Amino acid sequence: MRGSMMLFALTPDSTLTQNIAENLNLPVGGMTRRKLANTETLVEIRESVRGKDVYLIFSCSKDFNNSILDLLMVVEAMKNASVGTVTIILPSFPYARYDCVTRVDRCPIARLMADMLQSVDCDRVLTMDLHTPQVQGYFDLPVDNITAEPAFRDWIKELHLKNAVLVTPNPEGTKRVANFSESMGMQFAIVHVSDEDDRASNSTDSRNRPAASLVGNVKERDCIIYDDIADECTSIVKTAEFLKQEGAKRIYCMATHGLFSRESLEMCAASPIDVFVVTDTIDQQDNMAIYPNLQTVDVSHLFAEGIRRVHNNEPLLALFNL
């Protein structure tokens, strides 16, 4: 027998949290996190969660490495309060790119994340567009990985583009772009840009061109670059510059998670990208003030429907076709 549903969040005032709560017609439960003088944190759940099915939203922040400990303390406090189940909602899964050992002196931090979440005995994780699906294999509990594609699909349809092409800025994203292009009835192209901005060449025409290769046709076509994470944006900007040199018309960019670290926003603003759209898994209010071409699409309805389906033991497959 399922308990009644309750919604909590470590960032209760975020737009995503408020929109999820509105879609579910639920209030955000009360909790307090108090910093002590010695920088330690005290967590208190201010509502009874006994026997309840709690859905706890944890959005990434700039202070993530400290916030993750707060998340673990909140789950532990709920377990001590005899909660029924705890499902952690991770709109953007932290450290998802570090899923394997690339050097002997580095650890797969994604596995460490899984171990920490399981250490407090949470019951389920719901996330969006994992960088690599194999991260789910680090867990011994259910991990539901929903997608932002329905939101991006609606956004593209509103553009009324003709003869547009989807572009992956790296070969590793080919499967993602190929699947999405098939659902949209669009063609796709693959761009591979090396880390070297300018390759030595005797040809005057290629002297200032980034060392890159292209599979597909982009000449006189609108291009939509599609990636899961926009962080430093180096490869995205290089791809946009290369597409422009190859004769592309307008250049759009879509990414599920807009991290935008370092000077990435300024770099995008100086690039040929006409519109850059990300979801609201990470708050973008400050970034939009810096980069006027930045837009967001709302995915709160996808998370709300995912939560509802998990709670009612319904399949999540329908979320991919909304």
Side-chain angles (χ1 to χ4, degrees):
M1 184 71 177
R2 301 288 304 210
S4 57
M5 185 191 307
M6 295 187 73
L7 190 68
F8 286 83
L10 268 76
T11 51
D13 297 328
S14 74
T15 302
L16 179 64
T17 297
Q18 292 298 320
N19 288 341
I20 291 175
E22 183 178 346
N23 276 280
L24 290 171
N25 196 26
L26 285 175
V28 180
M31 72 169 77
T32 56
R33 289 185 297 160
R34 184 161 56 94
K35 288 286 185 184
L36 302 181
N38 62 359
T39 73
E40 293 177 348
T41 303
L42 290 181
V43 171
E44 181 181 356
I45 311 301
R46 294 192 283 110
E47 299 185 30
S48 174
V49 295
R50 180 176 292 272
K52 308 291 187 182
D53 290 326
V54 167
Y55 296 85
L56 176 60
I57 302 172
F58 177 63
S59 296
C60 282
S61 67
K62 295 180 180 178
D63 190 28
F64 164 74
N65 287 333
N66 289 324
S67 298
I68 183 63
L69 183 58
D70 292 356
L71 171 67
L72 300 178
M73 287 191 291
V74 170
V75 177
E76 183 67 20
M78 289 179 172
K79 289 292 181 176
N80 290 338
S82 300
V83 69
T85 63
V86 177
T87 298
I88 298 177
I89 314 298
L90 293 173
S92 175
F93 193 98
Y95 293 109
R97 288 174 290 180
Y98 306 96
D99 63 307
C100 60
V101 178
T102 56
R103 282 174 37 177
V104 294
D105 56 346
R106 293 181 181 175
C107 76
I109 309 177
R111 188 193 66 190
L112 183 61
M113 279 292 306
D115 291 344
M116 287 192 295
L117 294 176
Q118 292 179 121
S119 71
V120 290
D121 199 25
C122 72
D123 297 276
R124 196 180 199 101
V125 172
L126 177 66
T127 189
M128 174 171 278
D129 283 346
L130 279 171
H131 183 67
T132 50
Q134 55 262 36
V135 170
Q136 294 170 280
Y138 289 140
F139 288 86
D140 295 323
L141 53 83
V143 177
D144 295 307
N145 180 31
I146 63 176
T147 178
E149 286 185 5
F152 285 136
R153 194 179 299 126
D154 292 340
W155 180 78
I156 291 175
K157 289 178 180 178
E158 291 177 359
L159 296 176
H160 302 290
L161 300 177
K162 295 182 179 179
N163 200 30
V165 58
L166 283 165
V167 179
T168 175
N170 53 73
E172 292 79 10
T174 300
K175 184 176 180 180
R176 179 190 311 112
V177 170
N179 291 339
F180 187 54
S181 65
E182 182 178 358
S183 70
M184 292 292 298
M186 300 171 62
Q187 294 183 348
F188 73 94
I190 304 169
V191 171
H192 179 260
V193 182
S194 74
D195 294 332
E196 188 179 355
D197 286 341
D198 295 304
R199 177 176 293 172
S201 172
N202 294 326
S203 170
T204 305
D205 293 338
S206 62
R207 185 172 302 160
N208 296 318
R209 294 163 67 96
S213 57
L214 169 67
V215 178
N217 178 27
V218 300
K219 188 172 183 179
E220 295 299 320
R221 304 177 73 176
D222 293 318
C223 293
I224 304 173
I225 302 171
Y226 183 29
D227 211 346
D228 62 322
I229 297 174
D231 190 359
E232 296 185 26
C233 296
T234 303
S235 62
I236 289 176
V237 168
K238 287 182 179 180
T239 298
E241 293 171 347
F242 179 68
L243 291 173
K244 206 66 176 180
Q245 292 176 357
E246 292 295 313
K249 294 168 64 177
R250 289 177 61 84
I251 297 177
Y252 304 85
C253 187
M254 305 186 310
T256 304
H257 311 296
L259 300 178
F260 295 116
S261 60
R262 299 183 180 179
E263 288 79 36
S264 57
L265 291 170
E266 292 80 1
M267 188 165 55
C268 289
S271 76
I273 298 174
D274 295 285
V275 178
F276 203 134
V277 61
V278 296
T279 73
D280 52 358
T281 56
I282 299 171
D283 185 75
Q284 301 295 331
Q285 290 300 317
D286 294 339
N287 292 337
M288 293 172 74
I290 299 173
Y291 182 25
N293 289 353
L294 181 63
Q295 300 179 8
T296 61
V297 293
D298 180 27
V299 291
S300 62
H301 62 292
L302 299 175
F303 279 105
E305 182 63 13
I307 291 171
R308 189 192 68 79
R309 287 179 174 272
V310 166
H311 188 72
N312 294 327
N313 289 318
E314 298 175 9
L316 295 178
L317 185 61
L319 280 175
F320 292 79
N321 300 315
L322 287 179

